[in-house]
Amino acid sequence: MAAGEPGDLGGYYFRYLPQKTFQSLSTPETTSRLRQWSMLGRIKAQSFGFDQTFQAYRKDDFVMAFFKDPNVIPNLKLLSESSGQWITLGTEVKKIEAINVPCTQLSMSFFDRLYDEDIVRDNGHIVKCLDSFCDPFLISDELRKVLLAEDSEKYEVFSQPDREEFLFCLFKHLCLGGALCQYEDVLDPYLETTKLIYKDLVRTLRVCATRQLRVTSRRSLTSSWTVSSVMFTFSTTVTVWGRCLSVFSEYYTYYVLFTRVFILIQISR
């Protein structure tokens, strides 16, 4: 098969999009925080395009076709645990496991319960607790206890479906950080960075217009799959009908455009 030709699995043709950048990962404030959390240089996002309609029920074929594509193998970056350097995939993947990760949360009010349950004080300071361990993490505050300690009385503040949300997964990664993480005493840096990166990966743009004009919205619906210790997030959009409130307090129809682009994000400790 010539380079760039569709593979046998689903006929998908993938192309690497190096021109697509993610400013949320390179702002001075974000890089400063990632350095403090021992994550700088250990989180990377890449974009690829594909030429066929994505069908959720065929996600296994889609992911396998991705890893076998000749445009993916020399461009997909992986973090080597032995050297700590970014390397290319370099070879075909023989086996995959595709797991859907929902991306339905579009508001940071999702985390308001941390204040309601006295995990975080009204002034934003994270409540401390007696030290305990959840290998390899030291738990010294109520936030990490909620994230890690299943026997904690407040662990159920977030239900299992909540914990499967991409927003929660990203927040958890940032809160736990890398091997030499310097933890925050207040919640805001975690929330602000989570929001910035999440909005960069999952975009929601709404434009309201007059009655005579069609109103459109572009919204990325994300599905994620985990392969070994690497999280791959494929972001695509589907046609969805809904309502949008105009400045005149009247409702107009909007729809979501299909973009045929997905995002790949890798987070490693």
Side-chain angles (χ1 to χ4, degrees):
M1 181 174 65
E5 291 182 358
D8 295 333
L9 295 170
Y12 289 104
Y13 163 77
F14 294 88
R15 63 190 186 281
Y16 179 41
L17 305 175
Q19 70 277 10
K20 170 63 178 177
T21 59
F22 301 90
Q23 295 184 354
S24 61
L25 295 175
S26 59
T27 66
E29 189 171 28
T30 299
T31 54
S32 176
R33 289 171 176 171
L34 292 178
R35 182 180 294 107
Q36 178 181 335
W37 302 335
S38 188
M39 297 182 73
L40 186 63
R42 300 182 67 84
I43 178 171
K44 181 184 290 290
Q46 294 176 268
S47 290
F48 295 82
F50 58 97
D51 66 340
Q52 301 291 327
T53 300
F54 173 74
Q55 303 289 347
Y57 71 92
R58 297 187 60 208
K59 64 181 184 296
D60 290 344
D61 290 342
F62 177 84
V63 177
M64 182 57 80
F66 170 73
F67 285 110
K68 287 182 174 294
D69 192 275
N71 283 326
V72 172
I73 293 174
N75 291 303
L76 180 61
K77 297 293 185 180
L78 305 176
L79 188 63
S80 170
E81 291 298 327
S82 58
S83 66
Q85 302 296 316
W86 289 96
I87 60 176
T88 58
L89 182 61
T91 185
E92 290 185 358
V93 172
K94 302 300 182 183
K95 183 180 179 181
I96 61 98
E97 180 183 9
I99 303 173
N100 184 58
V101 176
C103 191
T104 63
Q105 294 297 327
L106 300 178
S107 171
M108 296 303 289
S109 62
F110 178 72
F111 298 105
D112 286 352
R113 67 195 79 178
L114 295 175
Y115 294 92
D116 299 336
E117 297 295 332
D118 296 324
I119 297 162
V120 178
R121 303 188 192 282
D122 290 341
N123 61 7
H125 279 77
I126 302 168
V127 177
K128 301 297 181 180
C129 68
L130 296 177
D131 288 352
S132 61
F133 286 91
C134 183
D135 191 48
F137 299 98
L138 170 66
I139 299 177
S140 57
D141 58 51
E142 294 292 337
L143 176 59
R144 264 152 286 280
K145 186 184 291 186
V146 166
L147 296 177
L148 295 170
E150 296 185 17
D151 58 351
S152 168
E153 61 181 11
K154 294 185 179 180
Y155 185 82
E156 294 185 359
V157 166
F158 291 97
S159 66
Q160 187 56 40
D162 289 336
R163 292 173 182 272
E164 293 171 357
E165 286 283 341
F166 182 52
L167 181 63
F168 182 89
C169 294
L170 181 57
F171 174 76
K172 181 178 179 179
H173 273 295
L174 295 177
C175 289
L176 298 181
L180 302 176
C181 179
Q182 301 176 52
Y183 296 126
E184 300 284 350
D185 293 322
V186 294
L187 185 65
D188 280 352
Y190 296 129
L191 292 181
E192 291 169 359
T193 309
T194 299
K195 179 179 179 179
L196 190 64
I197 297 176
Y198 189 74
K199 287 179 65 176
D200 204 10
L201 297 178
V202 183
R203 297 176 179 269
T204 301
L205 304 175
R206 289 186 179 180
V207 180
C208 293
T210 64
R211 185 181 298 275
Q212 289 76 26
L213 297 180
R214 177 173 294 176
V215 182
T216 64
S217 172
R218 294 181 180 178
R219 169 177 168 184
S220 295
L221 305 178
T222 303
S223 298
S224 299
W225 293 270
T226 301
V227 182
S228 184
S229 62
V230 182
M231 175 179 288
F232 298 97
T233 301
F234 299 86
S235 175
T236 184
T237 57
V238 296
T239 300
V240 177
W241 293 95
R243 298 286 183 176
C244 186
L245 185 64
S246 76
V247 294
F248 303 104
S249 299
E250 296 180 359
Y251 288 92
Y252 302 104
T253 302
Y254 70 93
Y255 63 95
V256 180
L257 303 178
F258 186 79
T259 62
R260 293 188 179 181
V261 173
F262 68 82
I263 298 168
L264 163 67
I265 181 171
Q266 175 181 348
I267 304 175
S268 173
R269 281 182 51 77

